[in-house]
Amino acid sequence: MDFRKRITDYGIKPGILPRGPRNAITDVEGVRVGHCTLADGPVQTGVTAVLPHGGNLFREKLLAACHVINGFGKSAGLVQVEEMGTLETPVILTNTFAVGAASEALVRYMLADNPDIGRETGTVNPVVCECNDGFLNDIRGFAVREEHVLRALASASEDFEEGAVGAGRGMSCHQLKGGIGTASRILEAEGASFTLGVLVLSNYGQLEDLRVDGRHIGPAIGKIHPPQDEQGSIIAVIATDIPLTERQLRRVARRATVGITRTGAFIGSGSGEIALAFTTANRFRHHETAPLVSLSMLNENHINLAFRAAAEATEEAVLNSMAGAEPVSGRDGHIRHSLAEYAHLFARQ
């Protein structure tokens, strides 16, 4: 069985908007993604890094916003993103207990290129988001270290793997194997073309609720796997080249909820669902001296296209994270099977 297939390879094509050439978050120019995967017996975890542009993010910040769908999470850096409306570091995804190590590593990574941080200028705001991979991974072992974060950052590329890789190695989704997934959409507005891409770290949902392209397939698989309580999480990183303000980005980030719930999720009390959105179009220079700066923004008569794109790409990214993940065995003999093993329940000819 080929676990590198994406959900479209099974004839499932969520939504109506056209996909980008890679159908990935990296269809947004300048965005890159890298992984470091740790897979050794009870250690099933890792790091995924999202680099929003190829320059110095501290010196050339991006407008950004976040939306907390349900706040049972331990992410770092979101308070400043919410207050200032900017993103000044790459986004690191990892497991819950690795947030501290990842934050320190990301700060050191930024200090290496910015000797003025903490001296001639202020400090830096590392953004690290997490999900709990403790079902498959020995999370108490603190396997993720600084070197793994730096390795993920160094490997960032426009082409990257999905599924049980990087931060997604030990994640579960609807009691099957979850992980890293991505998708993108192309938007046309008054002759102008824009791209919106989503990357998810999927780790949520109950099997009995699972839907693929509207088909309620969870109960059929649930005859094989007993139900468990909903205690998972998902991180959705949304990138676009649409010129949006931080207020508009927050509105777009909220629409990730639509894509998540289309897979059958009801957003449980013990879940940590967070969406982070940024635009590469509007940038803010750290050492800007002009008292006034120009800002471009989308006419909100056209913002429904961005809402639709975020919903569609999030749904497809989740399904890609599951379809592209091979089965994984981890601590104490725990195993998660791949959605691909049940393709006969949802594949279209």
Side-chain angles (χ1 to χ4, degrees), residues 1-10 160-165 168-169 176-182 225 317-329 335-344 346:
M1 182 174 292
D2 187 356
F3 293 109
R4 294 170 297 179
K5 286 185 176 182
R6 311 185 80 189
I7 201 67
T8 54
D9 294 323
Y10 297 100
F160 60 95
E161 292 183 271
E162 295 174 282
V165 294
R169 179 63 191 178
L176 300 174
K177 190 65 195 72
I180 297 293
T182 191
H225 305 289
V318 169
L319 295 176
N320 280 335
S321 76
M322 300 176 71
E326 74 268 23
V328 171
S329 299
I335 186 170
R336 288 299 195 203
H337 291 273
S338 173
L339 178 64
E341 298 176 67
Y342 307 99
H344 62 282
F346 62 83

Side-chain angles (χ1 to χ4, degrees), residues 95-149:
N95 78 61
T96 305
F97 285 175
V99 170
S103 295
E104 181 176 348
L106 186 52
V107 169
R108 291 185 184 278
Y109 173 83
M110 298 301 295
L111 293 181
D113 287 334
N114 299 277
D116 55 337
I117 291 177
R119 293 287 192 265
E120 293 79 24
T121 191
T123 55
V124 66
N125 181 50
V127 176
V128 181
C129 296
E130 53 76 34
C131 291
N132 183 351
D133 59 8
F135 181 80
L136 290 174
N137 174 50
D138 178 15
I139 196 169
R140 291 171 62 97
F142 292 91
V144 173
R145 310 309 305 162
E146 178 178 337
E147 63 188 270
H148 304 125
V149 178

Side-chain angles (χ1 to χ4, degrees), residues 14 44 54 70 100 109 115-116 123 194 204 218-219 222 245 248 273 287 333:
Q44 301 291 331
N70 195 72
Y109 173 83
D116 55 337
T123 55
F194 301 102
Y204 70 92
T245 67
Q248 291 176 318
E273 281 90 2
H287 296 292

